[in-house]
Amino acid sequence: MADLSTDCLGLRGQRVLVTGAGGGIGRAVVERLLAAGSQVVAVDLPGVHCPAGTESIPTDLGCSAAVRQLAQAVGGADNPLHGLVHCAGITRDGVLWKLSDEDWDDVMRVNLSSSFYLLREMIPLMRERGGAITLISSINGERGKFGQGNYAASKAGLIGLARTAAREGGRFDIRVNVIAPGLIQTSMTKELPAKVTEAALQESVLGRLGTAEDVAGVALFLCSQLARHVTGQVLRVDGGQLIA
Ligand code: NAP
């Protein structure tokens, strides 16, 4: 990977919290940030292995009390928090008339409630010096997706939440943005039926599927001072799967 430590990102020494850090996109974001010289706090479920070179704090982000504890641990450090990239997320697919309460609740809790818990706890930690927050939505949160009513609703909700946080955080120089990936090749999508992957490939005007690194590059940009005037935006990283 290119050495970004000497360029104009302004991330050297900055403390950034990355969730889902043991997963495909989260891990790639961590690697980008480490290459840029950031100090990374890596969060994933207990038992999930996070990348080396990070401070790992295992947390179930779908639990309000656990996120509060996480904020206490992060807030107690000498180096105040500059950034948050929230990549943790799950799918529990099924057509609406077969979706169980549990599959609905789990997806809303892990994808949407976690985002609220994190914003509520982390914004106060950034208020003095400003910061950059990036939430990971999905193009399916914008367009809906057969078999993903719970997931699409959670990812759509996240956009309204982020835009509100951008309005509330602006006066503290806290920027809040959303990345909406298309189909990205990670463990989340590797079990998808071939016809779903093929359909995504057909939709991509670039004629390829995205990688975790494609998303991580944009997350790095949004976290950096290059994006200092960008807030309240939804940035698609989808190879043009959804052009509207
Ligand atoms: P991934 O490889 O499955 O990574 C997600 C990570 O989140 C996993 O390490 C997972 O741990 C962790 N996690 C799950 N529940 C958690 C909880 N309650 N607390 C803390 N961590 C938890 O998936 P990915 O593809 O990198 O996805 C990252 C984000 O991008 C997600 O929000 C996803 O919805 C979004 N996204 C992905 C795609 C795609 O095509 N891959 C497209 C659009 C949006 P476990 O592995 O133990 O569950």
Side-chain angles (χ1 to χ4, degrees), residues 23-145:
I25 291 172
R27 184 172 290 274
V29 172
V30 169
E31 279 164 13
R32 281 279 189 191
L33 285 165
L34 289 176
S38 297
Q39 284 179 18
V40 178
V41 180
V43 176
D44 210 306
L45 283 170
V48 175
H49 179 69
C50 285
T54 62
E55 177 194 353
S56 166
I57 309 183
T59 306
D60 178 355
L61 296 163
C63 169
S64 166
V67 177
R68 184 150 291 167
Q69 257 188 328
L70 170 68
Q72 279 160 3
V74 172
D78 292 342
N79 191 2
L81 192 68
H82 162 77
L84 163 66
V85 187
H86 181 28
C87 304
I90 58 169
T91 53
R92 299 283 184 270
D93 294 353
V95 286
L96 288 170
W97 52 91
K98 290 185 183 169
L99 211 54
S100 68
D101 288 358
E102 194 185 1
D103 286 346
W104 174 267
D105 290 342
D106 282 352
V107 167
M108 296 307 280
R109 187 175 56 79
V110 175
N111 294 0
L112 185 56
S113 299
S114 70
S115 305
F116 161 58
Y117 301 150
L118 281 164
L119 290 167
R120 182 173 60 182
E121 301 300 332
M122 299 303 161
I123 285 175
L125 301 184
M126 295 177 173
R127 265 198 306 234
E128 216 161 288
R129 295 203 329 176
I133 297 174
T134 303
L135 307 180
I136 312 293
S137 178
S138 162
I139 59 168
N140 293 342
E142 298 186 86
R143 68 179 180 179
K145 180 76 175 173

